Amino acid sequence: MRHTIRTFLTLGALAVASALAVPGQASAADGVDAIKQRGTLIVGVKADYKPFGFRDPSGTIIGLEPDLAADLAKRLGVKLELVPVVSANRIEFLQQGKVDLLIATLSDKPERRRVVQAIDPQYYSDFVNVLLPKTSGITDWAQLKGKPLCATSGAWYNKDVARTYGAEIVAFDGSEKPLFALKQGNCLGYVYDQSMLQGKLLDDDWKAGYALPLKGILDAPWMMAVAQGNTTLQAMVEAATKDWMKTGFIVAGEKKWGIEPTAYSTAMHEKYKNAAN
């Protein structure tokens, strides 16, 4: 009887421990071997962030980051499944095991490194800039004082821009709403990631009347991420990242998608291509 009670309590404790486990905490089986056994690499990417991740007319997600994901799947010898994510749910999707990896314009911040496993070195770095009408007359950040700027809710740099330059931030969810508000004249410009704004200027309806006359500020590296504890996938992606930098794969991807290669991508290519093998 005592043995039965002890067994019951032990099983109960295990059940409670399982229920309290950190969501997305990887086990030894959640790494590269599991992906190969499944036959598919599942990657969270943006689907509304041209040219890093966006949908073509057929609905297929394409862009610079899907290209990186495709290269990883090729290296693993598996198929690729792209899962669209947004800023509000991407880390949750990783923690819940809905994706194996995030390549989704994720700025590298200490609070994020505490809940996911960052991939080092960072694969990209971007500036903050403001999309402005060509008729705005704005040529310096100081001229934004007291001016309304459309922004995306939750962007880490909103407070910095308001505090440093005196702009009045008018925040909206996502990126399409602030862009619509800009076109409606509800704000002077749209403050956001520079590379995304460069992507907008590839579209005829934006490049005709808008520009990026200011110098980018607040340079912020982007990181890829896997679930905490997923050391085999971490090691594989980190090795691939270094190879991308050595071969210039990311610089070539920027050119392919109409982005001027960033100082970061160019510098990392020079660093790794000249490194001893």
Side-chain angles (χ1 to χ4, degrees), residues 128-209:
V128 175
N129 213 319
V130 182
L131 184 64
L132 291 159
K134 291 180 178 179
T135 57
S136 70
I138 300 294
T139 58
D140 189 274
W141 284 86
Q143 294 175 274
L144 297 174
K145 185 175 181 178
K147 303 290 195 307
L149 287 184
C150 288
T152 295
S153 298
W156 63 270
Y157 41 76
N158 288 348
K159 291 182 180 179
D160 289 333
V161 170
R163 180 174 56 250
T164 304
Y165 301 103
E168 296 179 2
I169 299 298
V170 184
F172 300 84
D173 292 335
S175 60
E176 293 305 317
K177 290 180 181 179
L179 286 168
F180 179 77
L182 173 59
K183 279 196 169 183
Q184 295 299 307
N186 296 331
C187 48
L188 177 65
Y190 176 35
V191 59
Y192 203 52
D193 300 338
Q194 178 171 283
S195 294
M196 188 274 191
L197 299 179
Q198 287 178 335
K200 277 296 172 186
L201 293 178
L202 298 175
D203 296 338
D204 291 338
D205 60 336
W206 285 101
K207 69 181 180 182

Side-chain angles (χ1 to χ4, degrees), residues 96-124:
Q96 292 177 348
K98 294 180 179 179
V99 299
D100 300 310
L101 170 71
L102 285 179
I103 316 179
T105 71
L106 184 66
S107 296
D108 188 352
K109 297 296 176 184
E111 61 272 18
R112 290 172 174 168
R113 282 183 175 254
R114 287 194 286 268
V115 295
V116 300
Q117 176 58 60
I119 301 299
D120 291 307
Q122 301 100 329
Y123 70 109
Y124 206 72

Side-chain angles (χ1 to χ4, degrees), residues 64 67-68 244-245 247-259 261 265-266 269:
L64 176 57
D67 284 354
L68 299 181
W244 292 339
M245 291 172 175
T247 62
F249 187 73
I250 293 178
V251 172
E254 290 175 302
K255 294 177 180 177
K256 171 185 175 181
W257 293 103
I259 303 170
S265 298
T266 303
H269 176 40

